[in-house]
Amino acid sequence: MLKAVILIGGPQKGTRFRPLSFEVPKPLFPVAGVPMLQHHIEACSKLPNMKEILVIGFYQPNEELNRFLSCAQQDFKVSIRYLQEYAALGTGGGIYHFRDQILSGGPEAFFVMNADVCSEFPLPEMLDFQKEHGDAYSFVILGTTANRKQSLNYGCIVENEQTDEVLHYVEKPSTFVSDIINCGIYLFTPEIFQHIGAVFQKNQQDMLLEEQSNGWHRAEVIRLEQDIFTALAGQGKLYVYKTARFWSQIKSAGSAIYASRLYLNQYHKTHPERLATNREGGPKTIGKCLVGPIFPSIIGPNVSIGTGVTIGAGVRVRESIILHGATLQDHSCVLNSIVGWDSTIGKWARVEGTPSDPNPNDPYSKIDSETLFRDGKLTPSITILGCNVNIPSEVIILNSIVLPHKDLNRSFKNQIIL
């Protein structure tokens, strides 16, 4: 029997995803037409012995989250429950806090995955790999190859090339350690809780020694990467399964467009029914797009359009996400942008951003976690319109972020419009 745990964080996390996370929790933001979290749940539900999926985070249970989990449970025919942390407990603290729930029913193994990654999720291969390597008490990290410079932004894994054992693990090193990086997807056996428990007890003892501990540092705040993997490396218990398939983080809104492209490319194999096809009198689609019924326009490549979107004649949309209820009036142009819920773009208006894609000439390049500002200026990135933003006709919005409920009356470039 198997279980899966998906770590979704909480409202004070995902700040780089604003203003989109003002309206919807980041894990429910639609990537390639479905909530980010649904890709994880679908991958887990395909495993034959998957008994239960536990979603752990410190979001207050809300109607939107409950409705999504209830629908996903019916669609994928697997038990799904949300377990709310009382505070941010870290990647290890959350699963340790709910260890009784995870271990109930006696699973032989369980997956742990971060919600903010997009991947082909090679979960069956990780299970086979665990059986082939080590004993029943070994743990598996999903790894992939990055270039030398970008590897410094991730957890780095030094492996034994013959056995795939993790010999050394460093989270975000200051100098080059290895080009194999941690993908944030793990396969554990129940024995992992002995190792997390040892860290918990050590934290408790450290707190007793401190005369005055600050309120944030709780004994239960445990990080899998720094506290567990670093200690387990080199002990013959931790292995890395390397994948050459697609993988990316979804830290910022810009990375959501890149993740959407990766999933849309996968849909022709997994969900061809979700992709748009060219029909007489309908829009001309280029590449892989997910669209509803709209007027003759040119859409694509890599465009995802939500329900209830109105698109006029002669509209051009490329490399963008158009969210529910938006209106793109005749001859408007949207490139490398996210158009928020119920927003309106006027006739002949242009909304354009700068893509933050990985280097296409480097097969191991990953998307950069771009900072919002560089040298005192806004870093050119995709354009984001929050919900209910009105762009008038014949206006250009370039490389800008527009917060919700704004009526603009002129063009803007490289600005955050508060």
Side-chain angles (χ1 to χ4, degrees), residues 253-254 257-258 261 301-303 316-322 333-339 350-357 381-385 397-400:
I257 291 183
Y258 179 63
R261 182 198 307 168
N302 307 315
V303 171
R316 180 71 176 101
V317 187
R318 187 181 77 215
E319 297 282 353
S320 296
I321 297 174
I322 315 296
C333 179
V334 179
L335 311 174
N336 301 304
S337 300
I338 296 178
V339 178
R350 184 182 185 94
V351 175
E352 183 175 358
T354 300
S356 48
D357 292 355
S381 184
I382 68 156
T383 288
I384 305 167
L385 307 184
I397 307 296
L398 185 64
N399 298 338
S400 295

Side-chain angles (χ1 to χ4, degrees), residues 14 43-44 58 91 98 108 138 150 173 196 199 219 286 290 373 378:
C44 294
F58 52 101
T91 47
F98 292 111
E108 297 129 43
S138 61
Q150 290 181 317
I196 301 176
V199 172
I286 303 169
L290 193 149
F373 294 95
L378 186 66

